[in-house]
Amino acid sequence: MRKTAETEGALETRGIEQVPDHERTARTRELFPTWVGANISVLLLTMGASLVVAYHLDLWQALIVATAAPVVSYGLVGLIGIAGKRGGAPGMALSRAVFGQRGNLLPGSLIWVARWGWETINAVTGAYAVLTILKVLFGVRANGVLDMVMLLAFVAATFAISGLGINAVQKCNKYATFLFGAFSVLVLGYLIVDTDWSKVFDRPAGTTAAVITGIGMIAAGGVSWIPSAPDFTRYLPRTASSKAIVGTSVGGAGIVVLPMVLMGAVMAVGTPDLASAPDPVSFLGEILPTWIAVPYLLIALIGMLLINAMSMYSAGFTAQTLGFKVPRHWAVSVNAVISLAFGGVLMLAATSFMGSFIAFLSLLAVAFSAWVGVFGADMLRRREYDGAAMADTTRTSAYWYRGGFSPAAVAAWAIGLGSGLMFTTSDWFTGPLARGNVIGEYGLGWVATVVISGLLYAVLPKPPVVKPAAAQEPADALPGQRSATPESLAA
């Protein structure tokens, strides 16, 4: 039998080129542990705590937020993931069909830069988890040299997993799913015994506006994964169920987001400082008993490791679409080196600026949303992608359009990005429309970005859809979408 990237233990060597049909043997159920692993983050506990401390929600309102947020954000992840099974290529490669060969460099560059930041923060958080475990178990105190050793070890482990490819990422996510389940039972038992439930249930309810703000805040984290969704669905056969792709994406994320956010909300009643802790890893290591702190820190470490591995895996494809002429696993090393360098600066010289740095990165998240609006609107008219045209970056490419740009896509993306920033507020920047209106008040700048860019792209004149030669018709479309004829696609 011929070995493929899906073969057990194989090094994935395929890059941004289209996966041939005979290699597309993945199954939709494999997406479930993928999105479980993408959400095992200690920051969800902090966000859950902030729902109680900052937004003054009660437990039932926190439950609404924790349920709605993954449905909104990972519903979009699943919908964009359908493009992966249609085109058999990573998200930023498929994006060439929408923006043009040169136009795709604009959103691609911003998305790549945004990944630098999040990978740096995850690497630093992971290093702190190791340092805290050493302190709790062995009394080892951190110093500059040990900080760098732990950071290097974390980044190296991340590079090893993401460099091996999709099989290694999915395998690790599968085991992490079981570990997370065991950890959740452990923490749940501790909370049931240790929590003063009368204080939890006696809290007054917050405002509806605060509930909407909470949903927007937590859902925004999932939005950053949307451009990566096709990266994890491109090995699915064309006949894979679109409904199953959406369902497993929402289910995998929800099974983590829901309990983690609720745990944070319950813990904040007795320990409100959790909501504002600059380093939630070491903070929770101090307030929890050792028998639960160590498993928690190990899960935190594994979670940060897998999130970074998935992010670097996708970033390798983005680097290739930006023109790095190296194999995928070496393209991954570019982000590994960047996160190591930036992480060293944060740990040694700028740890007090962690909050401001995260605020700066939240502005870049709007760039994800602008891409989502345009790409998602394009999916409504495009059901297949020309692999040869995606790979051809010269003027002969069918995706060259006008000077390498699709004017409609680039204009909609740029205007949506600018408009979204006007509705966005953070510690570093407050848009002129972020106050005194519903969208700005509720922190839904990213929603405004998706809507504006998507609607604008839908109404602007676009180049005709390129139909690949001898292409196979996909078995299903977006839920509720009718099958399009070649004539209607070219309209």
Side-chain angles (χ1 to χ4, degrees), residues 6 12 19 24-38 74 77-78 80-86 88-92 94 115 161-162 165-171 173 224-237 240 245 248-249 306-317 328:
E6 293 295 294
E12 182 187 11
V19 180
R24 297 173 63 174
T25 58
R27 300 177 181 178
T28 53
R29 65 170 178 259
E30 294 168 349
L31 294 174
F32 187 88
T34 296
W35 298 118
V36 169
Y74 285 90
V77 168
I80 298 299
I82 295 171
K85 68 122 176 183
R86 289 180 178 177
M92 295 316 298
L94 299 173
R115 293 204 181 283
I161 297 173
S162 55
I166 194 167
N167 186 67
V169 171
Q170 291 180 334
K171 202 72 172 178
N173 284 337
S224 65
W225 286 112
I226 297 178
S228 301
D231 304 0
F232 302 100
T233 58
R234 73 191 195 286
Y235 281 101
L236 290 173
I245 292 174
T248 50
S249 300
L306 293 178
I307 290 172
N308 246 25
M310 289 179 62
S311 182
M312 282 192 185
Y313 177 72
S314 292
F317 296 130
R328 182 202 58 80

Coordinates of all heavy atoms in Angstrom, one line a residue, residues 6 12 19 24-38 74 77-78 80-86 88-92 94 115 161-162 165-171 173 224-237 240 245 248-249 306-317 328:
E6 N -1.2 10.6 5.7 CA -2.1 10.1 6.8 C -1.5 8.8 7.4 O -2.1 8.3 8.3 CB -3.5 9.8 6.2 CG -4.2 11.1 5.8 CD -4.5 12.0 7.0 OE1 -5.3 11.6 7.8 OE2 -4.0 13.1 7.1
E12 N 4.9 14.3 7.2 CA 4.2 14.9 6.1 C 5.1 15.9 5.3 O 5.6 16.8 5.9 CB 3.0 15.7 6.7 CG 2.1 16.3 5.6 CD 1.0 17.3 6.1 OE1 1.1 17.6 7.3 OE2 0.2 17.7 5.4
V19 N -4.0 18.4 -2.5 CA -3.9 17.0 -2.2 C -4.7 16.2 -3.2 O -5.9 16.5 -3.5 CB -4.4 16.7 -0.8 CG1 -4.3 15.2 -0.5 CG2 -3.7 17.5 0.2
R24 N -6.7 11.5 -0.1 CA -7.7 12.2 0.8 C -8.5 11.1 1.5 O -9.7 10.8 1.1 CB -8.5 13.2 0.0 CG -7.6 14.3 -0.5 CD -8.4 15.2 -1.5 NE -9.4 15.9 -0.8 CZ -10.2 16.9 -1.4 NH1 -9.9 17.2 -2.6 NH2 -11.1 17.5 -0.7
T25 N -8.0 10.5 2.5 CA -8.6 9.4 3.2 C -8.9 9.7 4.7 O -9.2 8.8 5.4 CB -7.6 8.2 3.2 OG1 -6.4 8.6 3.8 CG2 -7.3 7.8 1.8
A26 N -8.9 11.0 5.1 CA -9.2 11.3 6.5 C -10.7 11.2 6.7 O -11.5 11.0 5.8 CB -8.8 12.7 6.8
R27 N -11.1 11.2 8.0 CA -12.5 11.1 8.4 C -12.9 12.3 9.2 O -12.1 12.9 10.0 CB -12.7 9.8 9.2 CG -12.3 8.6 8.4 CD -12.5 7.3 9.3 NE -12.1 6.1 8.5 CZ -12.1 4.9 9.1 NH1 -12.5 4.7 10.3 NH2 -11.7 3.9 8.3
T28 N -14.1 12.7 9.1 CA -14.6 13.9 9.8 C -14.5 13.8 11.3 O -14.2 14.8 12.0 CB -16.0 14.3 9.4 OG1 -16.9 13.1 9.7 CG2 -16.1 14.6 8.0
R29 N -14.6 12.6 11.9 CA -14.5 12.5 13.3 C -13.2 12.8 13.9 O -13.0 13.1 15.1 CB -14.9 11.1 13.7 CG -14.0 10.0 13.3 CD -14.4 8.6 14.0 NE -13.5 7.5 13.6 CZ -13.9 6.6 12.7 NH1 -15.1 6.7 12.1 NH2 -13.1 5.6 12.4
E30 N -12.1 12.8 13.0 CA -10.8 13.2 13.5 C -10.7 14.7 13.8 O -9.8 15.2 14.4 CB -9.8 12.8 12.4 CG -9.6 11.3 12.2 CD -8.8 11.0 11.0 OE1 -8.6 11.9 10.1 OE2 -8.5 9.8 10.8
L31 N -11.7 15.5 13.3 CA -11.7 16.9 13.6 C -12.0 17.2 15.1 O -11.7 18.2 15.6 CB -12.7 17.6 12.7 CG -12.3 17.7 11.2 CD1 -13.5 18.3 10.4 CD2 -11.0 18.4 11.0
F32 N -12.8 16.3 15.7 CA -13.2 16.5 17.1 C -12.0 16.7 18.0 O -11.9 17.7 18.7 CB -14.1 15.3 17.5 CG -14.7 15.5 18.9 CD1 -15.9 16.2 19.0 CD2 -14.1 15.1 20.0 CE1 -16.5 16.4 20.2 CE2 -14.7 15.2 21.3 CZ -15.9 15.9 21.4
P33 N -11.1 15.7 18.1 CA -9.9 16.0 19.0 C -9.0 17.1 18.6 O -8.3 17.7 19.4 CB -9.2 14.6 19.0 CG -9.6 14.0 17.7 CD -11.0 14.4 17.5
T34 N -9.1 17.4 17.3 CA -8.3 18.6 16.8 C -8.7 19.9 17.4 O -7.9 20.6 17.9 CB -8.4 18.7 15.2 OG1 -7.8 17.6 14.6 CG2 -7.7 20.0 14.7
W35 N -10.0 20.1 17.5 CA -10.5 21.3 18.1 C -10.6 21.3 19.6 O -10.7 22.3 20.3 CB -11.8 21.7 17.4 CG -11.6 22.0 16.0 CD1 -12.2 21.3 14.9 CD2 -10.7 22.9 15.4 NE1 -11.7 21.8 13.7 CE2 -10.8 22.8 14.0 CE3 -9.9 23.9 15.9 CZ2 -10.1 23.6 13.1 CZ3 -9.1 24.7 15.0 CH2 -9.2 24.5 13.7
V36 N -10.6 20.1 20.2 CA -10.4 19.9 21.6 C -9.0 20.5 22.0 O -8.9 21.3 22.8 CB -10.5 18.5 22.1 CG1 -10.1 18.3 23.5 CG2 -12.0 18.0 22.0
G37 N -8.0 20.0 21.3 CA -6.6 20.4 21.6 C -6.4 21.9 21.4 O -5.6 22.5 22.1
A38 N -7.1 22.5 20.4 CA -6.9 23.9 20.1 C -7.5 24.8 21.2 O -7.3 26.0 21.2 CB -7.6 24.2 18.8
Y74 N -16.9 28.6 16.4 CA -16.5 27.3 15.8 C -17.5 26.8 14.8 O -17.2 25.9 13.9 CB -16.1 26.3 16.8 CG -14.8 26.6 17.4 CD1 -14.7 27.4 18.6 CD2 -13.6 26.1 16.9 CE1 -13.5 27.7 19.1 CE2 -12.4 26.4 17.4 CZ -12.3 27.2 18.5 OH -11.1 27.6 19.1
V77 N -15.7 28.3 12.0 CA -14.5 27.4 11.7 C -15.0 26.3 10.9 O -14.3 25.9 9.9 CB -13.9 26.9 13.0 CG1 -12.9 25.8 12.7 CG2 -13.2 28.1 13.8
G78 N -16.1 25.6 11.3 CA -16.6 24.5 10.5 C -17.0 24.9 9.1 O -16.7 24.1 8.1
I80 N -16.0 27.4 7.2 CA -14.8 27.7 6.3 C -14.0 26.4 6.1 O -13.4 26.2 5.1 CB -13.9 28.8 7.0 CG1 -14.7 30.1 7.1 CG2 -12.7 29.0 6.2 CD1 -15.2 30.7 5.8
G81 N -14.1 25.5 7.0 CA -13.4 24.2 6.9 C -13.9 23.4 5.7 O -13.2 22.6 5.1
I82 N -15.2 23.7 5.3 CA -15.7 23.0 4.1 C -14.9 23.3 2.9 O -14.8 22.5 2.0 CB -17.2 23.4 3.9 CG1 -18.1 23.0 5.1 CG2 -17.8 22.9 2.6 CD1 -19.5 23.5 5.1
A83 N -14.3 24.5 2.8 CA -13.5 24.8 1.6 C -12.3 23.9 1.5 O -11.8 23.6 0.4 CB -13.0 26.3 1.8
G84 N -11.8 23.4 2.6 CA -10.7 22.4 2.6 C -11.0 21.2 1.9 O -10.2 20.7 1.1
K85 N -12.2 20.6 2.1 CA -12.5 19.4 1.4 C -12.9 19.6 0.0 O -12.8 18.8 -0.9 CB -13.6 18.6 2.2 CG -15.0 19.3 2.1 CD -16.0 18.4 1.5 CE -17.4 19.1 1.6 NZ -18.5 18.2 1.1
R86 N -13.3 20.8 -0.3 CA -13.6 21.2 -1.7 C -12.3 21.4 -2.5 O -12.3 20.9 -3.7 CB -14.4 22.5 -1.8 CG -15.8 22.4 -1.3 CD -16.5 23.8 -1.4 NE -17.9 23.8 -1.0 CZ -18.7 24.8 -1.0 NH1 -18.2 26.0 -1.3 NH2 -19.9 24.7 -0.6
G88 N -8.9 20.8 -1.2 CA -7.8 19.9 -0.9 C -6.5 20.7 -0.7 O -5.4 20.2 -1.0
A89 N -6.6 21.9 -0.1 CA -5.4 22.7 0.1 C -5.6 23.6 1.4 O -6.7 23.7 1.8 CB -5.1 23.6 -1.1
P90 N -4.5 24.1 1.9 CA -4.6 24.9 3.1 C -5.4 26.2 2.9 O -5.5 26.7 1.7 CB -3.1 25.2 3.5 CG -2.3 24.2 2.8 CD -3.1 23.8 1.6
G91 N -5.8 26.8 3.9 CA -6.7 28.0 3.8 C -6.0 29.2 3.0 O -6.7 29.8 2.2
M92 N -4.8 29.5 3.3 CA -4.1 30.6 2.7 C -3.7 30.3 1.3 O -3.5 31.2 0.5 CB -2.9 31.1 3.5 CG -3.3 31.6 4.9 SD -4.7 32.7 4.9 CE -4.1 34.1 3.9
L94 N -5.9 28.4 -0.7 CA -7.2 28.6 -1.3 C -7.5 30.0 -1.5 O -8.2 30.5 -2.4 CB -8.3 27.9 -0.5 CG -8.2 26.4 -0.3 CD1 -9.2 25.9 0.7 CD2 -8.3 25.6 -1.6
R115 N 0.1 35.5 14.1 CA 0.4 34.2 14.7 C 1.8 34.3 15.4 O 1.9 33.5 16.4 CB 0.6 33.1 13.5 CG -0.8 32.8 12.9 CD -0.8 31.5 12.3 NE -2.1 31.2 11.6 CZ -3.2 30.9 12.3 NH1 -3.2 30.8 13.6 NH2 -4.3 30.7 11.6
I161 N 6.5 18.6 16.9 CA 5.1 18.1 16.6 C 4.6 18.7 15.3 O 4.1 18.0 14.4 CB 4.2 18.4 17.8 CG1 4.6 17.7 19.1 CG2 2.7 18.1 17.4 CD1 3.8 18.1 20.3
S162 N 4.7 20.0 15.2 CA 4.2 20.7 14.0 C 5.0 20.3 12.8 O 4.5 20.3 11.7 CB 4.2 22.2 14.2 OG 5.4 22.7 14.6
G165 N 4.0 17.0 11.1 CA 2.8 17.2 10.2 C 1.5 16.8 10.8 O 1.4 16.6 12.1
I166 N 0.5 16.7 10.0 CA -0.9 16.6 10.5 C -1.1 15.3 11.3 O -1.9 15.3 12.3 CB -1.9 16.6 9.3 CG1 -3.3 16.9 9.8 CG2 -1.8 15.4 8.4 CD1 -4.3 17.3 8.7
N167 N -0.5 14.2 10.9 CA -0.7 12.9 11.7 C -0.2 13.1 13.1 O -0.9 12.7 14.1 CB 0.1 11.8 11.0 CG -0.3 10.5 11.7 OD1 -1.4 10.0 11.6 ND2 0.7 9.9 12.3
A168 N 1.0 13.7 13.3 CA 1.5 13.9 14.7 C 0.6 14.9 15.5 O 0.3 14.6 16.7 CB 2.9 14.5 14.6
V169 N 0.1 15.9 14.8 CA -0.8 16.9 15.5 C -2.1 16.2 16.0 O -2.5 16.3 17.1 CB -1.1 18.1 14.6 CG1 -2.2 19.0 15.2 CG2 0.2 18.9 14.3
Q170 N -2.7 15.4 15.1 CA -3.9 14.8 15.4 C -3.8 13.7 16.5 O -4.6 13.5 17.3 CB -4.6 14.2 14.1 CG -5.1 15.3 13.2 CD -5.7 14.7 11.9 OE1 -5.4 13.6 11.5 NE2 -6.6 15.4 11.3
K171 N -2.6 13.0 16.4 CA -2.4 11.9 17.4 C -2.2 12.5 18.8 O -2.8 12.1 19.8 CB -1.1 11.2 17.0 CG -0.9 9.8 17.6 CD -1.9 8.9 16.9 CE -1.7 7.4 17.4 NZ -2.6 6.5 16.7
N173 N -3.4 15.4 19.8 CA -4.7 16.0 20.2 C -5.6 14.9 20.7 O -6.4 15.1 21.6 CB -5.4 16.7 19.0 CG -4.7 18.0 18.7 OD1 -4.1 18.7 19.6 ND2 -4.9 18.5 17.5
S224 N -9.7 33.4 15.5 CA -8.3 33.3 15.0 C -8.0 32.0 14.4 O -7.0 31.9 13.6 CB -7.4 33.6 16.2 OG -7.4 32.6 17.1
W225 N -8.8 31.0 14.6 CA -8.6 29.7 14.0 C -9.3 29.5 12.7 O -9.0 28.6 11.9 CB -9.1 28.5 14.9 CG -8.2 28.3 16.1 CD1 -8.5 28.5 17.4 CD2 -6.9 27.7 16.1 NE1 -7.4 28.1 18.2 CE2 -6.4 27.6 17.4 CE3 -6.0 27.3 15.0 CZ2 -5.2 27.2 17.7 CZ3 -4.8 26.8 15.4 CH2 -4.4 26.7 16.7
I226 N -10.2 30.5 12.3 CA -11.0 30.3 11.1 C -10.1 30.1 9.8 O -10.4 29.2 9.0 CB -12.0 31.4 11.0 CG1 -13.0 31.4 12.2 CG2 -12.8 31.3 9.7 CD1 -14.0 32.5 12.1
P227 N -9.1 31.0 9.6 CA -8.3 30.9 8.4 C -7.6 29.5 8.3 O -7.2 29.1 7.2 CB -7.4 32.1 8.4 CG -8.0 33.1 9.3 CD -8.8 32.3 10.3
S228 N -7.4 28.9 9.5 CA -6.6 27.6 9.5 C -7.5 26.4 9.3 O -7.0 25.3 9.1 CB -5.9 27.5 10.9 OG -5.0 28.5 11.1
A229 N -8.9 26.6 9.3 CA -9.8 25.5 9.3 C -9.5 24.6 8.1 O -9.5 23.3 8.2 CB -11.2 26.0 9.3
P230 N -9.3 25.1 6.8 CA -9.1 24.2 5.7 C -7.8 23.4 5.8 O -7.6 22.3 5.2 CB -9.0 25.1 4.5 CG -9.8 26.3 4.9 CD -9.5 26.5 6.4
D231 N -6.8 23.9 6.6 CA -5.6 23.2 6.8 C -5.8 21.8 7.4 O -5.0 20.8 7.1 CB -4.6 23.9 7.8 CG -4.4 25.3 7.3 OD1 -4.9 25.7 6.3 OD2 -3.6 26.1 8.0
F232 N -6.9 21.6 8.2 CA -7.2 20.4 8.9 C -8.3 19.6 8.2 O -8.7 18.5 8.7 CB -7.5 20.7 10.3 CG -6.4 21.4 11.1 CD1 -6.5 22.8 11.3 CD2 -5.3 20.8 11.5 CE1 -5.5 23.5 11.9 CE2 -4.3 21.4 12.2 CZ -4.4 22.8 12.4
T233 N -8.8 20.1 7.1 CA -9.9 19.4 6.4 C -9.4 19.0 5.0 O -10.2 18.4 4.2 CB -11.2 20.2 6.3 OG1 -10.9 21.5 5.7 CG2 -11.7 20.4 7.7
R234 N -8.2 19.4 4.6 CA -7.9 19.2 3.2 C -7.6 17.7 2.8 O -7.6 17.4 1.6 CB -6.7 20.1 2.8 CG -5.3 19.6 3.4 CD -4.3 20.7 3.2 NE -2.9 20.2 3.4 CZ -2.4 19.9 4.5 NH1 -3.1 20.0 5.6 NH2 -1.1 19.4 4.6
Y235 N -7.5 16.9 3.8 CA -7.3 15.4 3.5 C -8.6 14.7 3.6 O -8.7 13.5 3.4 CB -6.3 14.8 4.5 CG -4.9 15.1 4.2 CD1 -4.2 16.1 4.9 CD2 -4.2 14.4 3.2 CE1 -2.8 16.3 4.6 CE2 -2.9 14.6 2.9 CZ -2.2 15.6 3.6 OH -0.9 15.8 3.3
L236 N -9.7 15.4 3.8 CA -11.0 14.8 3.7 C -11.4 14.6 2.3 O -11.2 15.4 1.4 CB -12.1 15.7 4.4 CG -12.0 15.9 5.9 CD1 -13.0 16.9 6.4 CD2 -12.2 14.5 6.6
P237 N -12.1 13.5 2.0 CA -12.6 13.3 0.6 C -13.7 14.3 0.2 O -14.3 14.9 1.1 CB -13.1 11.8 0.7 CG -13.5 11.6 2.1 CD -12.5 12.4 2.9
A240 N -17.1 14.0 1.9 CA -17.3 14.2 3.3 C -18.5 15.1 3.6 O -18.7 16.1 2.9 CB -16.0 14.8 4.0
I245 N -18.6 18.2 9.4 CA -17.4 19.1 9.6 C -17.8 20.2 10.6 O -17.0 20.5 11.5 CB -17.0 19.7 8.2 CG1 -16.4 18.6 7.3 CG2 -16.0 20.8 8.4 CD1 -16.0 19.1 5.9
T248 N -18.5 18.5 14.2 CA -17.4 18.1 15.0 C -16.5 19.3 15.4 O -15.9 19.3 16.5 CB -16.5 17.1 14.2 OG1 -16.2 17.7 12.9 CG2 -17.2 15.8 14.0
S249 N -16.5 20.4 14.6 CA -15.8 21.6 15.0 C -16.4 22.2 16.2 O -15.7 22.6 17.2 CB -15.7 22.6 13.8 OG -15.1 22.0 12.7
L306 N 0.1 22.0 22.4 CA -0.7 21.6 21.2 C -1.2 22.8 20.5 O -1.3 22.8 19.2 CB -1.9 20.7 21.7 CG -1.4 19.4 22.2 CD1 -2.6 18.6 22.7 CD2 -0.7 18.6 21.2
I307 N -1.7 23.9 21.2 CA -2.1 25.1 20.5 C -1.0 25.7 19.7 O -1.2 26.1 18.5 CB -2.7 26.1 21.5 CG1 -4.0 25.6 22.2 CG2 -2.9 27.5 20.9 CD1 -4.4 26.4 23.3
N308 N 0.2 25.7 20.2 CA 1.3 26.3 19.5 C 1.7 25.4 18.3 O 2.0 25.9 17.2 CB 2.5 26.5 20.4 CG 2.9 27.9 20.6 OD1 2.0 28.8 20.4 ND2 4.1 28.2 20.9
A309 N 1.6 24.1 18.5 CA 1.9 23.2 17.4 C 0.9 23.4 16.2 O 1.3 23.4 15.1 CB 1.9 21.7 17.9
M310 N -0.4 23.5 16.5 CA -1.3 23.7 15.5 C -1.1 25.0 14.8 O -1.3 25.2 13.6 CB -2.8 23.6 16.1 CG -3.2 22.2 16.5 SD -4.8 22.2 17.2 CE -5.8 22.7 15.8
S311 N -0.8 26.1 15.6 CA -0.6 27.4 15.0 C 0.6 27.4 14.1 O 0.6 28.0 13.0 CB -0.5 28.4 16.1 OG -0.3 29.7 15.6
M312 N 1.7 26.8 14.6 CA 2.9 26.8 13.7 C 2.7 25.9 12.5 O 3.2 26.2 11.4 CB 4.1 26.2 14.6 CG 4.7 27.2 15.5 SD 6.3 26.6 16.2 CE 6.6 27.9 17.4
Y313 N 1.9 24.8 12.6 CA 1.6 24.0 11.5 C 0.9 24.8 10.4 O 1.3 24.8 9.2 CB 0.7 22.9 11.9 CG 0.2 21.9 10.8 CD1 1.1 21.0 10.2 CD2 -1.1 22.0 10.4 CE1 0.7 20.2 9.2 CE2 -1.5 21.1 9.4 CZ -0.6 20.2 8.8 OH -1.1 19.4 7.8
S314 N 0.0 25.6 10.8 CA -0.7 26.5 9.8 C 0.2 27.6 9.3 O 0.1 28.0 8.2 CB -2.0 27.1 10.4 OG -3.0 26.1 10.6
A315 N 1.0 28.2 10.3 CA 1.9 29.3 9.9 C 2.9 28.9 8.8 O 3.3 29.7 8.0 CB 2.6 29.8 11.1
G316 N 3.3 27.6 8.8 CA 4.2 27.1 7.8 C 3.6 27.2 6.4 O 4.3 27.6 5.5
F317 N 2.3 26.9 6.3 CA 1.6 27.1 5.0 C 1.5 28.6 4.6 O 1.7 28.9 3.5 CB 0.2 26.5 5.1 CG 0.2 25.0 5.3 CD1 -0.6 24.5 6.3 CD2 0.9 24.2 4.5 CE1 -0.7 23.1 6.5 CE2 0.9 22.8 4.7 CZ 0.1 22.3 5.7
R328 N 7.6 22.4 3.8 CA 6.7 22.8 4.8 C 7.3 22.8 6.2 O 7.2 23.7 7.0 CB 5.4 22.0 4.8 CG 4.3 22.4 5.8 CD 3.4 21.2 6.1 NE 4.1 20.1 6.6 CZ 4.5 19.9 7.9 NH1 4.3 20.8 8.8 NH2 5.2 18.8 8.2

